[in-house]
Amino acid sequence: MLALKMLLTIAGVLMLAAALFIPIYGVWIRYRTARRWEKEEAATGEAQKHEPVEIAWRGPMALAIAACLPLLIAASIVVVPSGMGGVTVSQIGGTEPGTLNPGLHFVTPMIESVQIFDLRDHLFTTGIAEEGAKAQRDALHVQSREGLNIGLAVTVRYRLDPNKLASVQAHLPQPADKELVPPVVASAWRELAPSYTVREIFSSKREEVRMQAANTITRKLAGDGIIVEEVMLSDIQLPVEYAKGLEGLLLKEQEDDELGVQTDIQQKHVKIAELEAQAEAAQKVKMAEGEAQSRVVEAKGEADAMQYTLPLKQKQIEQSKLEAEARKEATIQNAEADAQAKVIDSKAELERRNLLADAEASRIKLIAKANAERMTSEAELLNKSPLLINKIVAERLSDKIQVVMVPSDGKFFFANDVFKNMANSPVVKQEMDNESEPKAGH
């Protein structure tokens, strides 16, 4: 609808411009024609009578009247933006009741107009720097019960009542919220502050003061069509000297609170220790009672068990005696058996030694007999061939000596003298003696 309103407005303006341009253009043409005629008369020197150029007035007037139609239609269209509210103001009857909600509305052009109000939330602040501003707003100064000046940083969030826009437009200064909210807020706080001390406003009753101020501001502004959403007390500026004294007092109170807390903690520790001691004593009593009862039960159990244990013990004792006697008899029997085994072993050892001695004697006899037979055969062989002694001697002297057998009666053989000399030499005799000794001993 805004586009339609704009198109109608543009069309009406263009039509009015055309209606104005046509007669102006006719006047200009008439002026040009008159100037040309004057130049022609000055050139010829004769006066001529000419009909003036007619200017068209009817067409432009009709066009101008027609242009009023789209302009009037565009003027009758009113669009209330989102978050806004409107009030119809008549040139005849004044402010009309009712609120125009966001959207399209039609009014009587040239008679009625629409006053737009912002229905969104607004903020009124004191003592806080506005966003994007270099300067800081002055704090709201009030006096306490002691007569001390206090600076308050107050923020009020409010909005206009959509149902009372007609009353706001008709009776309140415009803009109503900017003109009305600041004095009402200041008045409410200045009426309330003298009822409280600085300390109450600052700490102990701060929320109570804020609630009472919010109720007062809400009540006063509600009658003028302004709805208060929230009143916030963000900061309190105390007098310098009082702030120092209050800070010291608060520190002392804080220390006192800390001591109180520590005292409570110590008392609780003492109480806990007492309870733990009581619990431990009760636990020990219970444990002692339990142990005594368990001992009584055990004693009863042992007494009951003894009735069955004594006969069993007696039987065990008798069984132990019997086992001891059996072990004794077994020991005696084992000793006798060991003695007999030792006797048998000694007899067997004696027989073994006798058998070994007999075997050794038989072996010696057999060896002696074999040696005697060998010596007999050797003696017979030596008697038959005496030269064997020389061969044996030569072989015993060295393993490199080669023995040559020659006849014993060779007269012209040169080795006979050598053998005779060897046989007569002391070395050969000693070797023969050495050979004969083992045989004699054997």
Side-chain angles (χ1 to χ4, degrees), residues 14-56:
L14 291 176
M15 291 173 68
L16 287 175
L20 183 62
F21 177 74
I22 290 172
I24 293 174
Y25 182 74
V27 171
W28 184 73
I29 294 296
R30 186 174 182 177
Y31 173 74
R32 288 283 304 273
T33 303
R35 292 283 296 175
R36 189 177 69 248
W37 287 345
E38 288 178 359
K39 290 180 180 180
E40 290 177 355
E41 288 178 357
T44 59
E46 295 179 359
Q48 296 179 1
K49 187 176 181 180
H50 300 281
E51 291 292 334
V53 179
E54 186 179 356
I55 300 173

Side-chain angles (χ1 to χ4, degrees), residues 397-414:
L397 290 176
S398 174
D399 56 353
K400 296 181 179 180
I401 296 175
Q402 297 181 357
V403 179
V404 180
M405 300 296 293
V406 295
S408 60
D409 58 351
K411 297 179 179 180
F412 302 102
F413 192 70
F414 68 94

Side-chain angles (χ1 to χ4, degrees), residues 1-6 8-9 71-82 84-89 99-117:
M1 295 306 295
L2 287 175
L4 178 61
K5 182 178 180 179
M6 185 177 294
L8 291 173
T9 303
L71 291 176
L72 290 175
I73 295 174
S76 66
I77 298 175
V78 177
V79 178
V80 179
S82 177
M84 304 289 182
V87 176
T88 304
V89 181
T99 300
L100 300 179
N101 296 321
L104 177 65
H105 301 276
F106 293 95
V107 296
T108 304
M110 307 296 293
I111 297 175
E112 295 178 344
S113 62
V114 176
Q115 181 71 33
I116 302 297
F117 293 93

Side-chain angles (χ1 to χ4, degrees), residues 200-235:
E200 291 175 346
I201 296 174
F202 182 76
S203 60
S204 61
K205 296 184 179 180
R206 183 169 182 167
E207 184 62 20
E208 179 184 343
V209 174
R210 188 195 66 80
M211 290 295 295
Q212 290 189 9
N215 294 333
T216 303
I217 294 171
T218 302
R219 186 180 67 255
K220 287 184 177 182
L221 293 179
D224 293 325
I226 299 175
I227 300 174
V228 177
E229 299 288 347
E230 187 179 5
V231 176
M232 295 171 281
L233 179 60
S234 57
D235 190 17

Side-chain angles (χ1 to χ4, degrees), residues 274-323:
E274 291 178 355
L275 294 175
E276 289 178 351
Q278 294 177 1
E280 187 176 359
Q283 186 177 4
K284 289 182 178 179
V285 171
K286 293 293 184 181
M287 291 176 65
E289 292 177 355
E291 291 178 357
Q293 292 178 358
S294 63
R295 289 179 180 177
V296 170
V297 172
E298 289 177 358
K300 290 182 178 180
E302 290 177 356
D304 295 336
M306 288 298 292
Q307 297 177 359
Y308 303 96
T309 304
L310 290 175
L312 182 61
K313 291 291 185 180
Q314 293 176 356
K315 291 181 180 180
Q316 290 178 354
I317 292 170
E318 293 176 357
Q319 184 177 359
S320 299
K321 291 180 179 180
L322 294 174
E323 290 176 355

Side-chain angles (χ1 to χ4, degrees), residues 145-161:
R145 184 185 298 175
E146 301 95 330
L148 298 175
N149 289 326
I150 306 173
L152 302 179
V154 180
T155 301
V156 180
R157 185 165 65 91
Y158 64 92
R159 61 184 176 87
L160 295 177
D161 189 354

Side-chain angles (χ1 to χ4, degrees), residues 370-387:
N371 289 331
E373 292 176 355
R374 182 177 62 83
M375 290 178 68
T376 304
S377 63
E378 288 179 355
E380 293 176 355
L381 182 60
L382 288 175
N383 291 324
K384 291 178 180 181
S385 300
L387 294 176

